[in-house]
């Protein structure tokens, strides 16, 4: 099944994807608005004619991305499957990094990363301000790596 790219207005990807999906047409099989892809929505459909017809009624949709031959550009599943698997929140964090906790009971505290568990998407940190160093395990989405000047 071919996958087509639809150009959208910036920051309107979710709106366009929701409107395309709400049409509930049997020729349109899936709609995806990945966070990593700005101003584009991916649509799996039987052909480009049905998408062009739907896009006429969808505000913020700028049209199909054209291929070099002037036809609608088609992608295969192998080209877009990396958008389908979530990236762990702990990606890009290393042991020894200085982080700030942005959620939970220690919100606003600075800490140093002691251990990373990618399987559970958790990080064990040691708080800077604590009188006694206590390891605290938090989810990867509850921390923010500080600038390298602060390392």
């Amino acid at each position: 099944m071919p996958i087509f790219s639809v150009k959208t207005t910036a920051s309107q990807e979710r709106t366009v994807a929701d409107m395309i999906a709400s049409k509930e047409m049997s020729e349109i099989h899936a709609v995806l608005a990945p966070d990593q892809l700005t101003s584009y929505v991916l649509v799996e459909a039987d052909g480009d004619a049905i998408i062009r017809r739907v896009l006429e009624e969808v505000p913020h949709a700028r049209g199909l991305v054209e291929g070099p031959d002037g036809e609608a550009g088609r992608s295969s599943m192998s080209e877009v499957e990396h958008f389908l698997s979530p990236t762990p929140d702990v990606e890009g964090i290393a042991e020894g990094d200085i982080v700030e906790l942005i959620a939970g009971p220690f919100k606003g505290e600075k800490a140093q990363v002691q251990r990373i568990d990618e399987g559970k998407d958790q990080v064990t940190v040691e708080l800077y301000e604590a009188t006694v160093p206590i390891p605290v395990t938090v989810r990867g989405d509850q921390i923010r790596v500080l600038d390298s000047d602060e390392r």
Side-chain angles (χ1 to χ4, degrees):
M1 197 70 47
I3 299 169
F4 300 92
S5 299
V6 175
K7 178 84 170 129
T8 69
T9 305
S11 303
Q12 296 297 321
E13 302 87 2
R14 295 252 181 215
T15 306
V16 171
D18 289 344
M19 292 181 89
I20 293 171
S22 71
K23 299 296 181 190
E24 295 184 9
M25 303 180 92
S26 62
E27 299 93 343
I28 296 177
H29 304 286
V31 183
L32 177 66
D35 292 333
Q36 312 95 305
L37 203 57
T38 307
S39 300
Y40 292 95
V41 170
L42 303 174
V43 181
E44 182 181 29
D46 291 338
D48 61 304
I50 187 71
I51 298 173
R52 290 181 200 280
R53 205 169 40 233
V54 168
L55 293 183
E56 290 174 3
E57 304 169 16
V58 177
H60 304 294
R62 300 285 179 230
L64 281 174
V65 174
E66 303 291 329
D69 56 0
E71 294 288 315
R74 298 168 187 252
S75 300
S76 65
M77 184 60 76
S78 62
E79 292 175 309
V80 298
E81 67 186 350
H82 66 279
F83 292 123
L84 302 175
S85 56
T87 56
D89 291 321
V90 297
E91 192 173 284
I93 300 172
E95 289 183 13
D97 279 357
I98 306 303
V99 297
E100 178 184 4
L101 282 85
I102 57 172
F106 300 106
K107 182 177 180 177
E109 295 285 330
K110 289 183 183 177
Q112 184 173 25
V113 176
Q114 300 298 314
R115 188 172 51 251
I116 301 168
D117 185 343
E118 289 188 21
K120 293 182 181 176
D121 205 21
Q122 294 179 337
V123 178
T124 302
V125 298
E126 200 170 271
L127 300 175
Y128 268 160
E129 308 290 316
T131 324
V132 178
I134 302 170
V136 178
T137 302
V138 295
R139 292 192 332 253
D141 64 346
Q142 293 183 335
I143 62 172
R144 173 177 64 94
V145 178
L146 297 176
D147 294 334
S148 55
D149 327 341
E150 295 186 43
R151 282 190 191 175

